[in-house]
Amino acid sequence: QVQLVESGGGLVQAGGSLRLSCSASGRTFSSNAMGWFRQAPGKERDFVAAINWNGGNTYYADSVKGRFTISRDNAKNTVYLQMNTLKPEDTAVYYCAARSSVSQLLITTSSGYDYWGQGTQVTVSS
């Protein structure tokens, strides 16, 4: 059974930092692009960041560019999201996602991903 498990969420003050982790089990995703999405209450799930198989190519939503960094450690089958200078509008449930295709296109729509984690809550207080 393939599982993606996010961790590292929590409550932080504006301007603070958090590092999210997403650990995969059941199969390796070392050849697959992966991504992070987020969903605030009453809103759609939005793209945050994506990374290709070896970390050599990344892409970010404009709203997080320069503040968030996506990275991966294929030896640990884990992808990370370092979030700095957090703002109240970053408050959301953050989801990790993986593609089953070996295409290295960095997809920004949720329909492009085949595996999802259960999400981790990030709350940024003002």
Side-chain angles (χ1 to χ4, degrees), residues 15-77:
S17 298
L18 284 173
R19 188 195 196 202
L20 305 183
S21 299
C22 171
S23 297
S25 61
R27 62 161 284 179
T28 178
F29 289 102
S30 59
S31 299
N32 306 87
M34 299 186 70
W36 286 95
F37 288 73
R38 66 186 181 185
Q39 188 167 18
K43 296 190 176 181
E44 293 184 351
R45 189 170 298 189
D46 291 332
F47 169 77
V48 174
I51 189 167
N52 77 328
W53 73 279
N54 66 353
N57 191 21
T58 58
Y59 187 74
Y60 298 92
D62 287 344
S63 58
V64 306
K65 202 172 296 183
R67 299 188 298 122
F68 291 10
T69 302
I70 188 171
S71 61
R72 65 190 299 163
D73 184 338
N74 286 338
K76 296 181 178 179
N77 217 17

Side-chain angles (χ1 to χ4, degrees), residues 31-34 51-53 99-107:
S31 299
N32 306 87
M34 299 186 70
I51 189 167
N52 77 328
W53 73 279
R99 304 191 68 200
S100 59
S101 166
V102 295
S103 166
Q104 296 306 307
L105 282 176
L106 299 185
I107 303 297

